[in-house]
Amino acid sequence: MSEHRSVWLATAEHTTHPPLAGDTDVDVAVVGGGITGLTTALLLQRDGARVALIEARQVGVGTTGGTTGKVTSQHQLTYHDLIEHRGEDIARGYADANQQAIELVAALAELTEADCDLIRAPAYVYAERPEERAAIEAEHAAAVRLGLPAHLIDDIDLPVPVEVALRFDHQAHVHATRYTEALARAIVAGGGTVVERTRALGVEEHHDHAVVVTEHGRVRAEQVVVATLLPFVDRGGFFAKSRPKRAYGIALRLRGPAPEGMHINVGSPTRSTRPWTDDGRPGMVVVGETLPTGEGEHSPARWGALERWAGEHLDVESFAYRWSAQDYTTPDQVPYVGRSPRMSRTFVATGMRKWGLTNGTAAAEVLTALVRGREHRWQEVFDATRIGDIESITELAADNIHVARRFVADHIGRLRADAVGDLEPGEGAVVDADGDTVGAYRDPSGAVHAVSLTCTHLGCTVAFNSAERSWDCPCHGSRFATDGSVLEGPAVHPLDRFETD
């Protein structure tokens, strides 16, 4: 039976950092303990800043803890579209940023003496059908034009049928949690502060400083970096300019050697793979079954689909771990990084599109320069204030019409609530409890936990995720535990709880 936990979180030792103990004063406060926040904090510290990193839960346990662990500039199909929609200079900057991020991850792993199994390997994107060939060939032409280490080939080392493939050389994969743990230790060893179990609730800007307001005290700083998955302080409207998606992952052990490379297909459903070693035994990580957060069937069947695919193509000995992770996409497929619109001392990074190990590392370089008053050659690529071309604007409009429809349809849906007594153990649903329409979950012991269905971010109706046993917001991606506590933002306040008979 697979363990319901990320392979990286399950196979790493964790250093516990204390919560914030009252007010403190630093040069830069970094909110968010994933790859972007940790890398930014360490680079700022090495640039001479006094830094405090504030994490709501535990360092590295969010999206970074659920990553595939690929450190690569090969982002499925990206570069042809970037040239077409944002021009060759921006596409070249994005390529350069992600290619350089590979080397920075390698350098920081060495600097921090991270025991993170960083291994160089090729990355492949492949087509399985003749009608997909043109997309691979166009991506190859764009990648070569931008100076990336790309080669068009006819076969790969993964036992799947291939029409054509694109190989990027000298990429890497890494044990994500051991890497982020090493970054956190290095911050503390260098005199910085890392606090966990401390949720940031807001940012106040004043003429000569800013304050991060948390549940355990206030952090005064000259500048603030918000490196949460989606900014919880959002004057730039990032909640309306990005869409949350959740992907499912499994780790499995093989009877024989694993393929050397990392792979992703261009068709649907997506299957993204990489090798994994479990105490010397060969294995693989397989990720896919991506769905918009809070929509569709988020159920254990998603892992079942991945396991069936693995069983058809690989010599599987056993399935070891199951998990899922969330990230945000932007209309032009490039993250938003830089000074937050309408703010003078607050910087943001969001929309990593599931390529956070490189995009987040590149973002940290840009943020470090901007916070310290320097320009950076990639800041135009990731410009957090950009609006986009007509295609991006059209896509944003469609997404926000969809969100508006959810407000109406989901509130109407509450009128069709089931009876709370019909819930089985392990089941969650919209129910009528003592005259109130609520979200209810019956735990294995039979106890019922009832919460409000209204997301505390902007008021959408949450939906039950039976795979993760959570309440997920389909509008902007906030997630809540069955007791209403916040699992992932942008919401910072829990769902209201109800007592039931």
Side-chain angles (χ1 to χ4, degrees):
M1 184 70 178
S2 300
E3 182 178 344
H4 189 161
R5 197 177 184 196
S6 156
V7 60
W8 316 124
L9 297 176
T11 57
E13 295 183 2
H14 300 272
T15 301
T16 300
H17 304 275
L20 183 66
D23 297 350
T24 190
D25 193 329
V26 293
D27 295 330
V28 186
V30 179
V31 184
I35 184 69
T36 307
L38 287 163
T39 309
T40 302
L42 182 57
L43 294 182
L44 283 166
Q45 179 175 276
R46 291 178 58 78
D47 201 61
R50 293 179 301 126
V51 176
L53 184 137
I54 305 161
E55 167 56 39
R57 293 190 290 164
Q58 186 177 18
V59 163
V61 305
T63 295
T64 303
T67 179
T68 315
K70 295 180 178 181
V71 187
T72 175
S73 60
Q74 199 297 297
H75 294 175
Q76 202 174 27
L77 298 179
T78 293
Y79 297 104
H80 173 72
D81 283 347
L82 265 183
I83 291 173
E84 289 287 306
H85 295 109
R86 292 195 62 192
E88 187 168 333
D89 288 345
I90 294 297
R92 181 170 284 106
Y94 183 87
D96 181 52
N98 280 276
Q99 191 64 25
Q100 291 299 314
I102 300 170
E103 304 311 317
L104 181 55
V105 169
L108 291 179
E110 182 176 1
L111 174 72
T112 61
E113 299 181 346
D115 180 22
C116 62
D117 300 330
L118 190 146
I119 297 173
R120 297 286 185 167
Y124 302 88
V125 56
Y126 63 94
E128 299 171 272
R129 305 173 184 92
E131 60 269 25
E132 297 165 350
R133 173 179 281 274
I136 292 286
E137 291 176 342
E139 186 73 357
H140 170 247
V144 170
R145 185 172 165 186
L146 299 174
L148 289 163
H151 307 275
L152 203 63
I153 58 175
D154 294 326
D155 201 5
I156 60 176
D157 61 343
L158 186 70
V160 296
V162 173
E163 175 72 20
V164 67
L166 181 60
R167 185 186 74 226
F168 278 36
D169 290 327
H170 208 55
Q171 310 294 290
H173 51 77
V174 70
H175 190 299
T177 301
R178 290 178 189 165
Y179 178 65
T180 54
E181 286 286 314
L183 296 182
R185 289 195 300 269
I187 293 167
V188 174
T193 300
V194 175
V195 296
E196 296 179 329
R197 303 181 302 286
T198 302
R199 185 169 295 280
L201 303 175
V203 176
E204 300 172 354
E205 286 200 347
H206 304 273
H207 74 280
D208 62 346
H209 71 282
V211 175
V212 178
V213 180
T214 83
E215 56 191 344
H216 300 311
R218 298 163 66 87
V219 181
R220 176 184 170 125
E222 293 180 10
Q223 283 96 15
V224 175
V225 173
V226 177
T228 50
L229 200 56
L230 188 71
F232 66 98
V233 177
D234 192 354
R235 295 186 185 174
F238 298 110
F239 68 87
K241 298 194 294 185
S242 57
R243 294 295 298 139
K245 293 187 177 181
R246 197 154 194 88
Y248 290 79
I250 60 171
L252 55 97
R253 301 183 183 95
L254 297 172
R255 294 187 178 89
E260 175 192 4
M262 302 173 284
H263 314 84
I264 190 167
N265 61 319
V266 299
S268 180
T270 299
R271 297 291 181 256
S272 178
T273 71
R274 56 149 291 185
W276 160 62
T277 301
D278 180 26
D279 289 333
R281 294 178 293 174
M284 292 280 286
V285 170
V286 182
V287 173
E289 294 298 299
T290 302
L291 290 174
T293 301
E295 299 185 29
E297 186 190 1
H298 288 268
S299 73
R302 298 296 168 185
W303 291 306
L306 296 177
E307 290 171 355
R308 284 193 300 275
W309 181 89
E312 291 170 2
H313 298 287
L314 303 167
D315 190 10
V316 178
E317 178 183 283
S318 62
F319 294 103
Y321 301 100
R322 290 177 162 190
W323 71 97
S324 68
Q326 182 165 300
D327 208 348
Y328 289 76
T329 61
T330 66
D332 64 2
Q333 309 302 307
V334 176
Y336 296 111
V337 180
R339 191 184 304 274
S340 180
R342 301 166 56 205
M343 302 188 81
S344 60
R345 296 180 175 273
T346 304
F347 300 79
V348 296
T350 187
M352 300 300 162
R353 197 171 61 102
K354 296 183 286 187
W355 301 106
L357 289 185
T358 50
N359 267 327
T361 301
E365 278 209 64
V366 175
L367 291 168
T368 298
L370 296 180
V371 167
R372 301 297 277 174
R374 303 187 297 266
E375 293 191 351
H376 196 283
R377 65 189 185 278
W378 302 329
Q379 67 189 60
E380 184 182 357
V381 175
F382 298 104
D383 180 17
T385 66
R386 72 185 188 274
I387 297 175
D389 60 13
I390 188 63
E391 186 172 331
S392 297
I393 294 170
T394 301
E395 184 175 338
L396 281 174
D399 281 344
N400 285 291
I401 289 171
H402 171 75
V403 169
R405 287 173 176 164
R406 292 303 302 248
F407 273 100
V408 177
D410 290 349
H411 280 79
I412 292 173
R414 297 189 191 189
L415 302 177
R416 298 187 292 271
D418 298 325
V420 68
D422 294 338
L423 283 178
E424 297 293 332
E427 184 180 7
V430 177
V431 302
D432 179 85
D434 306 327
D436 292 314
T437 302
V438 300
Y441 168 74
R442 188 181 297 278
D443 67 27
S445 72
V448 173
H449 307 269
V451 297
S452 167
L453 290 165
T454 301
C455 177
T456 57
H457 175 229
L458 289 177
C460 278
T461 296
V462 297
F464 190 68
N465 176 338
S466 63
E468 297 289 3
R469 295 183 180 178
S470 61
W471 293 100
D472 299 354
C473 176
C475 294
H476 308 118
S478 296
R479 298 180 59 245
F480 305 86
T482 54
D483 65 358
S485 59
V486 178
L487 294 175
E488 295 185 73
V492 297
H493 300 293
L495 299 174
D496 290 338
R497 298 181 62 177
F498 292 87
E499 295 296 328
T500 61
D501 292 334

